[in-house]
Structures are given as C-alpha cells and as structure tokens.
Amino acid sequence: MLNKILIYFPNTEEYNFTPPYESLFQIKALEDFADKIIFIDARKSNDNNFIKQALSDVSIVIISTLIKYTSITISFQLKDGIKFSKLAESFSLPVIWTGMAAYLLENNIKAFCTNDLFLKTNYEGSLKNIIFKLSKSDNNSDLQKWVEEENKHCFLPSKSFEDFGNFDFKSIKTKDYIHHSTFDYIISTGCINSCSFCSVPAIYKQKWDHNKIENIINHLKEIISENKEIKTIHFRDDNFLIKKSFVFKLFHELQKENINFLWSCQTSVNILLRFKDEEIQQLYKYGCRNISFGVESGDKFILQKVTKSKTNKLQAIELIKTLTKHNLSVSITSIISFQYNKGRDFNKTLRFLMKLKLLYPQLSMYCTVFQPIPGTEIFNEIFKNKNYSLEPLANNTWTSKRKKRILKKYESFYFVFDNKNFYKQLPKELSKK
C-alpha cells in the first residue's frame, strides 16, 4: 500500500530565490496522487519536528534538485540533499534523486548514500510511471528495476512541457519567492550554446524548448494579480531570447490579454546579435527594461576555447551601446581565473571590465572566480578520475587568496562607481592618482 510521497527540494543557502519549478513539474505529473504528496522546500521550511513527522508517514522520498535551469547552487543542494537522505535512511525509506544532481553527481552521492536511486531522465512522466507501479505493489523490492527501466529513455524536455507545462503554484506561497519586488519565472529549458564551463549543455545537449503560450499566460496572470507588490518579472531561463518569433508572439498575446508588466531576462551575445534595432526597440515597448548577458572573459584565447567563440569583446561593446541607446539597462556577467593560459585571463578580464565601466558607468557588473561544476566539459578535463571537494567553491585550487582579494577590491570600487569623472571631485593630489 502506498502511503505518502515526500518531495524534498534541498536548501540553496540563500543563493537562489527561484521557485522550485522542478518540484512543481513533478507535483503536476503526480496529480493522480495529489492527496498523498507532502512537499518541502528546505529554503522555506526547516521545522525538524514537522519533517520527522512527515517521514514517519511516507512510503518514498524524492529529492528534487535543480534542472530546469542550473547554477553553482547545486553544490549547496548536494550537501543538504545528502543530509536529508541520511535522515530518510534512519526511517528505512527508499530515496530517489532527480534533477541535475541525479544526472551529474550520482557517484558523489553514492559515496555517502549507497542505497539511493537516481532517476536520470528529464521527463517527469518517468517519475509518474514509477510511483504508479509502486502504488500497485505490496513492497518496493522492484523499485531499482523500475528506475533503471525509465533511465533507458532519452531526455524529453519538449514532451515534459507538453504534458506537465500547465503546472500550478498551489503547493507554494508565491509571496515567499518575491525578492526586491521581483519574481523569477521560467518559460524554457536548455540552451543552444556549448560553453565548456556550463552544466546546461551537459544536460540538454544544446537543445532548447519552451512551454506553451497559453500556460505561460495563465501563470503570469495568476502571479501578477495575486501579488501586487511585484514590480518586475525576471525570466530566469538559461537563454530567454533564443527564438525571436516565440518571444514576440508571447508578448503580443500577453498584450491582447491586457497583461502588462516590466521584465528582465538573460541571454547571450550570439543570440542578441540576431536582433535588429527595431526589434530591440519593440522589446522595450513590450516592457523589457534590463537584459543580462555574459561577456565571460577579456582574454581572446579563453573566449575561443571556453565559449567556443559565441562572443568577442568588440561584439559585447557594440551590444551594450545598442541596448543603452534604446533605454535598456544592461547587466553583464564574467568569469575569471580559468586554469588555462597561465592565469593571464585574470588581469585581461579585469582590464576589460574597467574599460566597459568607464565607457558605460551605469553598467551593472558581476564577476566570479571560475568554479568547475561536476559534469561539465572543463570539469572532466581537469579532474578526470581525480578526487574533488563537495564543498561549494572549493575546487578552484589554482587561484591564490591574493587574487581573490584583488577581485574583491575591484567589486567594491570599479564595479560600483557611476561617474567616469568621479576623480574630479576628489582633492587634487588624490585625483592625480
């Protein structure tokens, strides 16, 4: 007999505020078992008594990790997920991992949780199939076999959207996920680029797919009408602007429904280059106020080797110029201190960021020391069969503390000043320096 099903979304240690979309997809897939589902987002609930009571009443635990988009926060989810799995083990419960951790980090988790199972398909229907079989069984002795059967299927992100893209937000309080008057929403999965530092191509194999427009409209209508404090929707897709025709059709339909809002998104240089001036102007008319993209590095060698030439410095500068001309604010991200090129990218990237800040003082910048993510092309090249740390941000062993201090100084000075003539306001001797 199937008791309750516990879906657990591990903690990201305040590094991520996006709603647990992977779990929402799964809850939709398991709607036939809706009365049996207990959902816990560890970022929002840490009541140990409630958790222990829940574990005493369930048949199976699903640890649901990031996969609809991916980031370094998976390191924190990995640690918390292992901790929760150990707790579930003390209740003699079977545990299935899903999402990015299941696909990329199976060996790491098995070192601590030898009995856990790993569902490595991106189709939530696979989880539905397993739970259905479990509900018809007197015990879970065949659980491993059922998981292995589902793992034979390839990733089916388009079918997942087709079947479960009309998920709802009833399992969470949307207000809990509003930060700085912004709500993160996703309409798509994957990316067509092949950057070797990124986990997205490792998972989605350079494929991209989107939810149905009718589902997106229903979601946004609900979110905005129920949360008047939201001022901006941030499309937290890996690469929001990949398909121009879809983007323009979406916002055309939203306007027809009189659903208007300001929004921001993330994309990449090679995608933005496809947009003509008048199309960027149209994005502004549709409510876009900020576009974020990665300049990635100021080192030509790194750009060619790591981003596969999806961007170059001149293109980035021209795009910033074009976007600001149309009154769009721009945020750029970059990665520093790769293990190649004898570390020369460190100074080159900082110089490039200084140049951009002087050209465009209002530019928002974020630069991070490169951290190899398990499963990525670069990670496999660096570590191969070597051991590595499960501690977040610990696997870049070649960047000295001195360099990290230098980056910190840049972050607190060059990245924040907003007037390229600021030195004129200082005492004469200091302004010369």
Side-chain angles (χ1 to χ4, degrees):
M1 177 180 174
L2 180 66
N3 293 325
K4 300 285 185 179
I5 305 159
L6 196 155
I7 299 178
Y8 182 79
F9 192 84
N11 204 341
T12 58
E13 300 290 343
E14 298 297 321
Y15 274 76
N16 189 292
F17 302 95
T18 305
Y21 287 105
E22 171 69 7
S23 300
L24 296 181
F25 267 75
Q26 292 172 342
I27 292 168
K28 176 63 181 178
L30 299 178
E31 61 184 349
D32 291 342
F33 306 94
D35 60 329
K36 294 182 177 293
I37 293 175
I38 300 172
F39 173 61
I40 297 174
D41 184 341
R43 297 170 298 174
K44 305 299 176 184
S45 174
N46 57 5
D47 185 335
N48 287 330
N49 290 331
F50 171 77
I51 290 173
K52 289 180 180 179
Q53 178 59 44
L55 287 170
S56 67
D57 195 30
V58 304
S59 295
I60 190 169
V61 171
I62 312 298
I63 298 182
S64 174
T65 55
L66 297 170
I67 200 167
K68 296 305 169 192
Y69 65 89
T70 57
S71 75
I72 197 65
T73 53
I74 192 65
S75 299
F76 294 102
Q77 287 207 304
L78 176 62
K79 291 182 67 179
D80 186 54
I82 289 172
K83 179 181 175 183
F84 191 80
S85 173
K86 290 290 187 183
L87 181 60
E89 185 181 28
S90 70
F91 285 78
S92 301
L93 292 169
V95 175
I96 298 179
W97 290 70
T98 66
M100 181 183 176
Y103 190 74
L104 298 178
L105 304 172
E106 178 181 356
N107 291 337
N108 307 78
I109 300 167
K110 274 187 173 178
F112 297 90
C113 311
T114 54
N115 296 320
D116 287 6
L117 302 172
F118 301 86
L119 185 58
K120 295 181 285 187
T121 169
N122 192 26
Y123 178 50
E124 280 77 8
S126 295
L127 182 60
K128 178 182 178 180
N129 294 339
I130 291 168
I131 298 300
F132 180 78
K133 290 175 181 176
L134 186 62
S135 71
K136 299 295 182 182
S137 175
D138 293 330
N139 57 61
N140 56 24
S141 59
D142 290 327
L143 192 57
Q144 182 172 350
K145 182 181 74 173
W146 299 333
V147 171
E148 289 173 355
E149 286 174 357
E150 295 299 328
N151 283 338
K152 293 175 183 177
H153 303 314
C154 63
F155 271 26
L156 297 168
S158 58
K159 187 168 174 55
S160 193
F161 268 125
E162 180 183 327
D163 290 350
F164 313 117
N166 62 334
F167 61 86
D168 60 49
F169 291 94
K170 292 177 183 176
S171 302
I172 64 173
K173 294 179 181 178
T174 52
K175 287 186 187 300
D176 289 346
Y177 299 90
I178 300 170
H179 59 106
H180 304 303
S181 303
T182 300
F183 187 86
D184 289 349
Y185 181 70
I186 63 164
I187 66 155
S188 66
T189 55
C191 178
I192 63 171
N193 294 325
S194 58
C195 302
S196 61
F197 60 85
C198 181
S199 58
V200 177
I203 294 174
Y204 294 99
K205 315 301 182 189
Q206 293 180 258
K207 292 182 174 65
W208 180 88
D209 191 54
H210 61 79
N211 202 347
K212 294 178 182 178
I213 286 179
E214 62 188 90
N215 293 334
I216 299 167
I217 289 175
N218 290 335
H219 289 158
L220 292 174
K221 184 186 294 184
E222 176 187 345
I223 292 164
I224 293 169
S225 64
E226 293 182 0
N227 301 281
K228 302 301 182 184
E229 62 269 47
I230 293 177
K231 295 180 180 178
T232 305
I233 296 292
H234 177 57
F235 291 102
R236 187 60 174 78
D237 306 67
D238 294 305
N239 205 328
F240 179 72
L241 297 175
I242 280 181
K243 191 173 181 180
K244 282 196 294 186
S245 59
F246 169 76
V247 171
F248 287 120
K249 183 179 180 182
L250 169 63
F251 284 100
H252 177 70
E253 294 299 319
L254 283 165
Q255 278 199 347
K256 281 172 58 178
E257 295 280 336
N258 200 29
I259 305 172
N260 301 301
F261 53 88
L262 301 181
W263 56 276
S264 59
C265 70
Q266 301 172 182
T267 188
S268 56
V269 168
N270 60 322
I271 298 301
L272 267 177
L273 287 171
R274 300 175 180 178
F275 284 75
K276 301 174 183 176
D277 260 32
E278 57 269 27
E279 291 173 323
I280 292 174
Q281 190 174 10
Q282 185 61 45
L283 292 178
Y284 181 88
K285 291 179 180 177
Y286 279 138
C288 183
R289 292 297 181 268
N290 176 270
I291 293 180
S292 171
F293 62 87
V295 297
E296 312 305 10
S297 177
D299 187 325
K300 182 179 178 181
F301 171 82
I302 294 295
L303 289 176
Q304 291 174 340
K305 182 173 180 61
V306 173
T307 74
K308 317 295 177 70
S309 298
K310 75 168 186 183
T311 181
N312 66 51
K313 293 192 287 185
L314 289 177
Q315 288 174 339
I317 292 172
E318 283 302 308
L319 280 175
I320 296 169
K321 179 180 178 181
T322 300
L323 294 174
T324 53
K325 181 177 71 175
H326 293 291
N327 298 314
L328 288 167
S329 66
V330 183
S331 301
I332 61 167
T333 59
S334 56
I335 304 172
I336 201 168
S337 196
F338 285 89
Q339 79 280 24
Y340 307 114
N341 212 15
K342 296 182 179 179
R344 285 195 287 270
D345 74 295
F346 189 92
N347 289 332
K348 287 185 176 183
T349 300
L350 287 186
R351 287 195 207 104
F352 182 50
L353 295 177
M354 288 168 59
K355 178 179 180 178
L356 292 179
K357 194 65 174 175
L358 287 167
L359 288 171
Y360 302 99
Q362 301 294 344
L363 197 63
S364 173
M365 289 183 167
Y366 178 73
C367 181
T368 182
V369 172
F370 168 63
Q371 300 295 339
I373 301 175
T376 59
E377 185 180 327
I378 283 186
F379 187 93
N380 294 336
E381 181 181 333
I382 296 170
F383 290 97
K384 295 179 182 175
N385 296 320
K386 299 176 185 175
N387 293 326
Y388 58 91
S389 175
L390 291 181
E391 283 294 320
L393 315 181
N395 286 311
N396 182 327
T397 57
W398 54 87
T399 302
S400 66
K401 291 182 179 179
R402 175 180 168 274
K403 282 191 171 181
K404 291 177 182 177
R405 285 197 299 269
I406 291 173
L407 176 58
K408 199 69 181 174
K409 290 178 180 178
Y410 271 76
E411 288 176 339
S412 60
F413 182 68
Y414 286 105
F415 290 7
V416 295
F417 78 81
D418 60 0
N419 176 4
K420 62 182 177 182
N421 297 313
F422 77 103
Y423 62 91
K424 293 180 180 179
Q425 302 168 21
L426 303 174
K428 187 174 181 180
E429 289 303 312
L430 184 58
S431 68
K432 285 182 180 180
K433 293 183 181 180

